[in-house]
Amino acid sequence: MNAYLTTQDAAGFALHWDDHDVVIVQVAGEKSWEVRGTSQPVPMYRDAEPNNTPPDEVIWKGTLRAGDVMHIPRGHWHQATRTDRADGYSLHVTFGFVKRTGVNWLAWLTDQCRREEVFRTDLDRWGTAEAQAEQIAALASATARLTDRFGAAAFLAAREQECPAARHVQTAGLFGPPAAVVCVTEFPPILEPAAM
C-alpha cells in the first residue's frame, strides 16, 4: 500500500503499467486519470520482451473524487495528474495485489531441485555425446518427478507458510506498555499448540 499526496498542479508518474493489480482509493481532493489497455498479455517487469510502447486507445479518462475507488488490472497503462487544477491537493491510496505466476513456481522449483544429487552434479561439457545425452535424460526424468512432487499447489501452500512477517513499527514504549497484541497476517496463520 502506498499513499500519494499531490499539491497544486503537480504531475504524477508518467504513463506506466504495473506488474500487479492495483486498487486506488481517492481519500481527499481530486485527481485526473487516464487508463489505457495492455501492450502485451500478462507482462512482467523482468520479461522476455520489453513492454515499452503504450497503446493509443484510452479506455477511461476522468476524475476521481474523495470516496471514489478504481481498479486497474495488471499491465494496463495509466497515469494520474493534477496539471489541470490550479490549487488544492489530492490524496489517494494505492493497494497493490501481487499474484503468483508460473515463473514464480519455476523459480521456487529450482530451489527444491537442490535436494537431489542429479541437479547438483556438474554438467558433462567435455564428455562423449552419449554421456551428455544420458545426463540430459536423467535431468529431464528428475525434473518430471520434481514437478509431480512439488506442483503449483505445493508452491502456493509453501508461500503461505514461509511468507515473511510484514514490517513492524517500533514505538520504544512511547505509548506505554501494550494493552493488547494483534496478529495481522497475509494468510490464515498456522497454529501449532505446544504440549504443556
Side-chain angles (χ1 to χ4, degrees):
M1 178 185 85
N2 293 311
Y4 297 94
L5 174 65
T6 310
T7 60
Q8 306 301 325
D9 61 352
F13 290 118
L15 190 62
H16 69 284
W17 57 273
D18 295 310
D19 68 348
H20 54 275
D21 285 23
V22 294
V23 172
I24 290 101
V25 178
Q26 187 70 31
V27 178
E30 299 179 349
K31 189 169 278 185
S32 297
W33 288 82
E34 177 182 292
V35 181
R36 300 184 187 192
T38 60
S39 301
Q40 63 189 47
V42 293
M44 302 178 81
Y45 284 130
R46 187 174 161 213
D47 214 333
E49 297 177 23
N51 186 27
N52 299 328
T53 307
D56 293 327
E57 181 186 2
V58 175
I59 295 175
W60 183 79
K61 190 172 189 173
T63 300
L64 291 186
R65 294 174 177 79
D68 289 344
V69 177
M70 176 171 55
H71 168 241
I72 301 176
R74 166 185 171 188
H76 281 67
W77 291 79
H78 57 280
Q79 65 182 345
T81 185
R82 284 190 48 83
T83 56
D84 54 348
R85 294 177 170 51
D87 52 2
Y89 67 94
S90 166
L91 176 63
H92 79 269
V93 179
T94 299
F95 296 88
F97 295 90
V98 178
K99 298 175 185 172
R100 298 299 170 227
T101 67
V103 170
N104 300 119
W105 169 57
L106 287 175
W108 177 79
L109 197 60
T110 59
D111 285 334
Q112 305 315 308
C113 78
R114 298 171 199 278
R115 301 167 186 252
E116 297 191 32
E117 183 180 330
V118 68
F119 291 108
R120 297 191 314 267
T121 302
D122 297 343
L123 292 175
D124 188 1
R125 183 174 186 159
W126 308 112
T128 65
E130 182 179 324
Q132 290 176 349
E134 285 176 10
Q135 186 179 38
I136 295 303
L139 286 167
S141 176
T143 300
R145 288 192 309 274
L146 196 69
T147 57
D148 286 343
R149 182 175 172 199
F150 297 104
F155 160 63
L156 294 172
R159 181 178 174 272
E160 290 182 16
Q161 293 177 16
E162 298 164 2
C163 188
R167 289 179 285 182
H168 297 277
V169 177
Q170 299 292 331
T171 63
L174 181 65
F175 303 106
V181 176
V182 177
C183 176
V184 179
T185 63
E186 190 172 341
F187 301 102
I190 297 173
L191 304 176
E192 295 179 6
M196 297 271 194

